[in-house]
Amino acid sequence: MFKIDKLNVKIKDTDKEILKDFSLTIDKGEIHAIMGPNGVGKSTLSKAIMHHPDYVIESGSITYNGKTLNDLTTDEIARKGIYLLMQDPSIIDGVSNSEALRTALKERGSDTNLYSFITKMKKELDSLNLPKDAMHRSINKGLSGGERKKNEVLGLKVLTPSFIILDELDSGLDVDSLKVVANNINDYLKENKDTSVLIITHYSRVLDLIKPDYVHEMKDGKIIKTGDITLAKQIEKTGFTGVNEVEPSENYE
Amino acid sequence: MNNILLDSAISFSKEGTFKLELDKDTTISVESDNVKLYLVTKNNIKVDFNILNSTTIYNITRESITANINIYNNAKLDFYEMAVTDKEITNEVNVYHKNKETTSNVTCHGISYGKGDLKFSVNGYIKKGMIGSICNQSSRIINLDEGKSSIKPNLFIDEFDSIANHSAYTGPFDEKLLFYLETKGISKKEAFNLLLNGFMKVVELPIDYESVLDNILDKVMRR
Ligand SMILES: Nc1ncnc2c1ncn2[C@@H]1O[C@H](COP(=O)(O)OP(=O)(O)OP(=O)(O)O)[C@@H](O)[C@H]1O
Ligand SMILES: [Mg+2]
């Protein structure tokens, strides 16, 4: 179980409070989605979970399978099985995908036999429609926004997390690529039934492909409404609660 | 790869890959096409290059060096400087475009650690008449510990019909990149080593030359 209890998060060296008494519980195997206007703090939430140095937890707790994550470092949190697919994945010149992922496996004490690693990488690259040589390329270098998202899904499949945060997985992906990526994630979830997912998105299209058990609406630093997929459809149609001027969205990034 | 004991002047008239350790002032002329020089320099020396044909030069150093590079014919030069230091040193690279349609790409990457103070002074000269010449400079230094650094990029361009670019960065590694690697479950220390290694090896290097750099980087990683 992943549990956030009355979490208050500030931006470091400022008085800017982004999360205010934010609470959310996600059980094993559940898929939750969070929707909310730009700047409400969705990415902040995802990064605060991973202990990004820009965000300070003032009070409240984050626990995973009964253990509190508050005092852990980013890499320790990741090794507990939490994987963040960032809204805007970094480009790292000079460090290859395979180098980083193999180091990450080594740090977990997992099998890093070169042959099985390469075989696994090839298989996953193939299922994501990424070129085989992407393995040896610098991380996300020379990739389009959508390809970078795919590359991050590659990391997910190699590192086999049990709790996945998808921050705007759908942004940058074209319709077909989104399907490929969603199929990959659904296959992974089928094989790993206990894995939970937190999807952050602006559009229900991704939720039609990766079906959430719960949809939450976020406002003023916390969740103000919880429902199912119909809440997502309603938000798309009529806008967020208390914001009447939002037009139904037709654009799809 | 060939290890060559050098006189103070040497010329390369055949294509190939050469590894040289230089510890005194030297003049190097490259006459053949497809010459790759892998240098390791010591002792605060001055090296003059006359480039008559397309050439790639790599240099690893922990000390000061002055490289004066003259480019002739329509030669294209790719020059990679790799400096790692905890001392006060200056790497000066002067590139003179001596003929029309000459090209230079100068990439300098450095690490200044401990109490190091690393200066890159990179100067490109395109005189009037050297039509169609291209002069690119890219310099980056990462500061670790109390390490300081500065980059002085200068383009002295008198010919309109030419292209010149420079970019420079000094500072620490980007926190975002460390965070990215840490979210994969890589410890800060290992993430840092990956970035350090990736930053210094901008291009693929032959194994026995790369090991020279590895030995130097190892000192930085273990400090
Ligand atoms: N590192 C930071 N420094 C300063 N302000 C920040 C930082 N990170 C986030 N903020 C601010 O915090 C607020 C929440 O940002 P966040 O990125 O979490 O929004 P979001 O809900 O993910 O928005 P979007 O839908 O546009 O992705 C914004 O006002 C943003 O400007
Ligand atoms: Mg966001």
Side-chain angles (χ1 to χ4, degrees), chain A residues 47 50-53 74-75 78-79 82-84 86 90-95 99-101 103-104 107-108 139-140 152 159, chain B residues 109 140 174-191 193-202:
Chain A
K47 288 189 261 184
M50 299 308 290
H51 265 191
H52 189 292
T74 300
D75 57 308
R79 289 200 299 274
I82 301 178
Y83 188 88
L84 168 61
M86 279 181 256
S90 303
I91 296 167
I92 309 189
D93 206 358
V95 182
E99 217 178 341
L101 291 177
T103 306
E107 298 260 70
R108 283 168 169 77
I139 294 169
N140 289 324
E152 294 308 298
L159 298 177
Chain B
H109 279 204
R140 297 176 66 197
D174 189 344
E175 283 280 346
K176 262 200 304 211
L177 306 187
L178 279 167
F179 178 71
Y180 174 94
L181 291 170
E182 288 171 54
T183 63
K184 300 287 186 269
I186 299 172
S187 65
K188 202 174 218 65
K189 176 102 189 134
E190 273 300 315
N193 289 348
L194 282 172
L195 289 180
L196 189 65
N197 208 51
F199 171 71
M200 286 308 290
K201 296 174 189 169
V202 223

Side-chain angles (χ1 to χ4, degrees), chain A residues 42-44 87 167-168 200 202:
Chain A
K42 303 181 298 300
S43 295
T44 299
Q87 183 171 352
D167 190 357
E168 298 200 17
I200 294 167
H202 290 292

Side-chain angles (χ1 to χ4, degrees), chain B residues 11-151:
Chain B
S11 64
F12 295 89
S13 49
K14 277 204 197 93
E15 68 170 49
T17 295
F18 307 91
K19 187 181 163 193
L20 322 173
E21 286 179 22
L22 305 179
D23 58 4
K24 55 177 188 273
D25 291 356
T26 308
T27 301
I28 292 175
S29 301
V30 179
E31 287 154 20
S32 164
D33 201 2
N34 281 325
V35 170
K36 284 189 178 180
L37 301 180
Y38 292 91
L39 313 179
V40 178
T41 57
K42 290 182 181 145
N43 286 352
N44 192 4
I45 57 171
K46 181 165 81 71
V47 186
D48 294 329
F49 296 90
N50 296 310
I51 307 296
L52 306 169
N53 228 317
S54 289
T55 306
T56 309
I57 298 171
Y58 306 82
N59 183 42
I60 297 173
T61 191
R62 299 179 52 89
E63 296 172 26
S64 292
I65 176 185
T66 303
N68 296 311
I69 306 169
N70 300 305
I71 310 177
Y72 299 95
N73 303 337
N74 332 345
K76 170 170 176 274
L77 170 74
D78 291 302
F79 188 92
Y80 296 94
E81 177 79 358
M82 292 160 270
V84 179
T85 192
D86 57 356
K87 292 182 281 202
E88 189 179 334
I89 68 167
T90 300
N91 287 186
E92 185 176 330
V93 182
N94 301 308
V95 181
Y96 303 94
H97 289 258
K98 292 287 196 186
N99 286 136
K100 289 180 195 174
E101 288 168 18
T102 48
T103 300
S104 65
N105 296 309
V106 176
T107 306
C108 301
H109 279 204
I111 302 279
S112 174
Y113 71 103
K115 292 191 186 314
D117 188 354
L118 173 60
K119 282 191 186 63
F120 282 158
S121 172
V122 187
N123 305 299
Y125 297 84
I126 300 182
K127 285 259 158 60
K128 188 140 189 65
M130 302 307 141
I131 297 167
S133 288
I134 301 171
C135 177
N136 291 316
Q137 307 173 350
S138 166
S139 306
R140 297 176 66 197
I141 300 175
I142 298 294
N143 301 327
L144 308 175
D145 317 321
E146 294 160 54
K148 289 188 290 186
S149 61
S150 60
I151 296 175

